[in-house]
PDB file of all heavy atoms in Angstrom:
ATOM      1  N   HIS A  32      -3.942  12.290  -3.981  1.00 98.00           N
ATOM      2  CA  HIS A  32      -4.211  13.019  -5.227  1.00 98.00           C
ATOM      3  C   HIS A  32      -5.279  14.114  -5.076  1.00 98.00           C
ATOM      4  O   HIS A  32      -6.069  14.111  -4.139  1.00 98.00           O
ATOM      5  CB  HIS A  32      -4.558  12.072  -6.376  1.00 98.00           C
ATOM      6  CG  HIS A  32      -5.790  11.228  -6.192  1.00 98.00           C
ATOM      7  ND1 HIS A  32      -7.059  11.729  -6.292  1.00 98.00           N
ATOM      8  CD2 HIS A  32      -5.930   9.905  -5.957  1.00 98.00           C
ATOM      9  CE1 HIS A  32      -7.928  10.751  -6.134  1.00 98.00           C
ATOM     10  NE2 HIS A  32      -7.276   9.632  -5.909  1.00 98.00           N
ATOM     11  N   SER A  34      -8.650  16.235  -5.862  1.00 93.00           N
ATOM     12  CA  SER A  34     -10.025  15.704  -5.819  1.00 93.00           C
ATOM     13  C   SER A  34     -10.005  14.294  -5.222  1.00 93.00           C
ATOM     14  O   SER A  34     -10.371  13.334  -5.893  1.00 93.00           O
ATOM     15  CB  SER A  34     -10.655  15.633  -7.215  1.00 93.00           C
ATOM     16  OG  SER A  34     -10.531  16.840  -7.868  1.00 93.00           O
ATOM     17  N   PRO A  35      -9.586  14.175  -3.975  1.00 96.00           N
ATOM     18  CA  PRO A  35      -9.327  12.852  -3.411  1.00 96.00           C
ATOM     19  C   PRO A  35     -10.605  12.029  -3.284  1.00 96.00           C
ATOM     20  O   PRO A  35     -11.669  12.559  -2.994  1.00 96.00           O
ATOM     21  CB  PRO A  35      -8.771  13.170  -2.021  1.00 96.00           C
ATOM     22  CG  PRO A  35      -9.380  14.483  -1.669  1.00 96.00           C
ATOM     23  CD  PRO A  35      -9.428  15.250  -2.960  1.00 96.00           C
ATOM     24  N   ASP A  36     -10.461  10.717  -3.523  1.00 96.00           N
ATOM     25  CA  ASP A  36     -11.572   9.796  -3.306  1.00 96.00           C
ATOM     26  C   ASP A  36     -11.303   9.018  -2.010  1.00 96.00           C
ATOM     27  O   ASP A  36     -10.325   9.285  -1.299  1.00 96.00           O
ATOM     28  CB  ASP A  36     -11.718   8.859  -4.508  1.00 96.00           C
ATOM     29  CG  ASP A  36     -10.393   8.215  -4.879  1.00 96.00           C
ATOM     30  OD1 ASP A  36      -9.540   8.025  -3.983  1.00 96.00           O
ATOM     31  OD2 ASP A  36     -10.182   7.908  -6.068  1.00 96.00           O
ATOM     32  N   GLY A  37     -12.148   8.054  -1.721  1.00 97.00           N
ATOM     33  CA  GLY A  37     -12.039   7.324  -0.462  1.00 97.00           C
ATOM     34  C   GLY A  37     -10.751   6.545  -0.316  1.00 97.00           C
ATOM     35  O   GLY A  37     -10.218   6.389   0.796  1.00 97.00           O
ATOM     36  N   ASP A  38     -10.217   6.037  -1.412  1.00 98.00           N
ATOM     37  CA  ASP A  38      -8.958   5.282  -1.350  1.00 98.00           C
ATOM     38  C   ASP A  38      -7.792   6.218  -1.053  1.00 98.00           C
ATOM     39  O   ASP A  38      -6.934   5.919  -0.215  1.00 98.00           O
ATOM     40  CB  ASP A  38      -8.742   4.538  -2.679  1.00 98.00           C
ATOM     41  CG  ASP A  38      -7.509   3.646  -2.653  1.00 98.00           C
ATOM     42  OD1 ASP A  38      -7.152   3.139  -1.563  1.00 98.00           O
ATOM     43  OD2 ASP A  38      -6.908   3.434  -3.725  1.00 98.00           O
ATOM     44  N   ALA A  39      -7.780   7.366  -1.719  1.00 98.00           N
ATOM     45  CA  ALA A  39      -6.710   8.345  -1.496  1.00 98.00           C
ATOM     46  C   ALA A  39      -6.695   8.783  -0.029  1.00 98.00           C
ATOM     47  O   ALA A  39      -5.642   8.794   0.626  1.00 98.00           O
ATOM     48  CB  ALA A  39      -6.913   9.550  -2.417  1.00 98.00           C
ATOM     49  N   ASP A  96      -1.775   6.751  -4.240  1.00 98.00           N
ATOM     50  CA  ASP A  96      -2.905   6.658  -5.171  1.00 98.00           C
ATOM     51  C   ASP A  96      -2.808   7.682  -6.309  1.00 98.00           C
ATOM     52  O   ASP A  96      -3.813   8.030  -6.905  1.00 98.00           O
ATOM     53  CB  ASP A  96      -4.237   6.824  -4.400  1.00 98.00           C
ATOM     54  CG  ASP A  96      -5.423   6.210  -5.131  1.00 98.00           C
ATOM     55  OD1 ASP A  96      -5.271   5.122  -5.716  1.00 98.00           O
ATOM     56  OD2 ASP A  96      -6.505   6.822  -5.125  1.00 98.00           O
ATOM     57  N   ARG A 102      -0.982  14.822 -10.420  1.00 97.00           N
ATOM     58  CA  ARG A 102      -2.033  14.451  -9.476  1.00 97.00           C
ATOM     59  C   ARG A 102      -1.708  14.857  -8.041  1.00 97.00           C
ATOM     60  O   ARG A 102      -2.563  14.864  -7.182  1.00 97.00           O
ATOM     61  CB  ARG A 102      -2.290  12.935  -9.533  1.00 97.00           C
ATOM     62  CG  ARG A 102      -2.673  12.421 -10.905  1.00 97.00           C
ATOM     63  CD  ARG A 102      -4.091  12.715 -11.269  1.00 97.00           C
ATOM     64  NE  ARG A 102      -5.043  11.874 -10.570  1.00 97.00           N
ATOM     65  CZ  ARG A 102      -6.333  12.186 -10.438  1.00 97.00           C
ATOM     66  NH1 ARG A 102      -6.798  13.312 -10.929  1.00 97.00           N
ATOM     67  NH2 ARG A 102      -7.153  11.372  -9.801  1.00 97.00           N
ATOM     68  N   HIS A 122      -1.811   1.962  -7.532  1.00 98.00           N
ATOM     69  CA  HIS A 122      -2.329   0.758  -8.211  1.00 98.00           C
ATOM     70  C   HIS A 122      -2.912   1.065  -9.583  1.00 98.00           C
ATOM     71  O   HIS A 122      -3.656   0.241 -10.126  1.00 98.00           O
ATOM     72  CB  HIS A 122      -3.371   0.062  -7.317  1.00 98.00           C
ATOM     73  CG  HIS A 122      -4.641   0.838  -7.160  1.00 98.00           C
ATOM     74  ND1 HIS A 122      -5.879   0.280  -7.412  1.00 98.00           N
ATOM     75  CD2 HIS A 122      -4.877   2.112  -6.797  1.00 98.00           C
ATOM     76  CE1 HIS A 122      -6.820   1.190  -7.193  1.00 98.00           C
ATOM     77  NE2 HIS A 122      -6.228   2.308  -6.812  1.00 98.00           N
ATOM     78  N   HIS A 123      -2.622   2.256 -10.132  1.00 96.00           N
ATOM     79  CA  HIS A 123      -3.149   2.570 -11.467  1.00 96.00           C
ATOM     80  C   HIS A 123      -2.257   1.945 -12.542  1.00 96.00           C
ATOM     81  O   HIS A 123      -1.050   2.167 -12.542  1.00 96.00           O
ATOM     82  CB  HIS A 123      -3.205   4.080 -11.688  1.00 96.00           C
ATOM     83  CG  HIS A 123      -4.240   4.765 -10.850  1.00 96.00           C
ATOM     84  ND1 HIS A 123      -3.960   5.300  -9.617  1.00 96.00           N
ATOM     85  CD2 HIS A 123      -5.557   4.977 -11.063  1.00 96.00           C
ATOM     86  CE1 HIS A 123      -5.066   5.828  -9.123  1.00 96.00           C
ATOM     87  NE2 HIS A 123      -6.053   5.646  -9.972  1.00 96.00           N
ATOM     88  N   THR A 142      -5.136   1.292  -3.393  1.00 98.00           N
ATOM     89  CA  THR A 142      -3.844   1.622  -2.801  1.00 98.00           C
ATOM     90  C   THR A 142      -3.831   1.186  -1.328  1.00 98.00           C
ATOM     91  O   THR A 142      -2.813   0.718  -0.817  1.00 98.00           O
ATOM     92  CB  THR A 142      -3.557   3.129  -2.942  1.00 98.00           C
ATOM     93  OG1 THR A 142      -3.444   3.420  -4.345  1.00 98.00           O
ATOM     94  CG2 THR A 142      -2.274   3.535  -2.256  1.00 98.00           C
ATOM     95  N   ASP A 172     -12.823   1.914  -3.340  1.00 97.00           N
ATOM     96  CA  ASP A 172     -12.341   1.579  -4.687  1.00 97.00           C
ATOM     97  C   ASP A 172     -12.950   0.303  -5.256  1.00 97.00           C
ATOM     98  O   ASP A 172     -12.977   0.120  -6.471  1.00 97.00           O
ATOM     99  CB  ASP A 172     -10.809   1.490  -4.702  1.00 97.00           C
ATOM    100  CG  ASP A 172     -10.189   2.790  -5.212  1.00 97.00           C
ATOM    101  OD1 ASP A 172     -10.869   3.826  -5.150  1.00 97.00           O
ATOM    102  OD2 ASP A 172      -9.029   2.767  -5.684  1.00 97.00           O
ATOM    103  N   HIS A 302      -8.168   3.449 -14.478  1.00 93.00           N
ATOM    104  CA  HIS A 302      -8.281   1.991 -14.596  1.00 93.00           C
ATOM    105  C   HIS A 302      -9.129   1.663 -15.823  1.00 93.00           C
ATOM    106  O   HIS A 302      -9.817   2.537 -16.355  1.00 93.00           O
ATOM    107  CB  HIS A 302      -8.953   1.411 -13.363  1.00 93.00           C
ATOM    108  CG  HIS A 302      -8.351   1.875 -12.076  1.00 93.00           C
ATOM    109  ND1 HIS A 302      -7.248   1.273 -11.514  1.00 93.00           N
ATOM    110  CD2 HIS A 302      -8.674   2.898 -11.257  1.00 93.00           C
ATOM    111  CE1 HIS A 302      -6.927   1.898 -10.400  1.00 93.00           C
ATOM    112  NE2 HIS A 302      -7.780   2.890 -10.215  1.00 93.00           N
TER     113      HIS A 302
HETATM  114 MN1   MN B   2      -8.106   7.520  -6.242  1.00 56.95          MN
END
Side-chain angles (χ1 to χ4, degrees):
H32 62 74
S34 309
D36 50 29
D38 184 30
D96 203 40
R102 302 283 286 161
H122 69 127
H123 291 93
T142 296
D172 262 22
H302 310 275

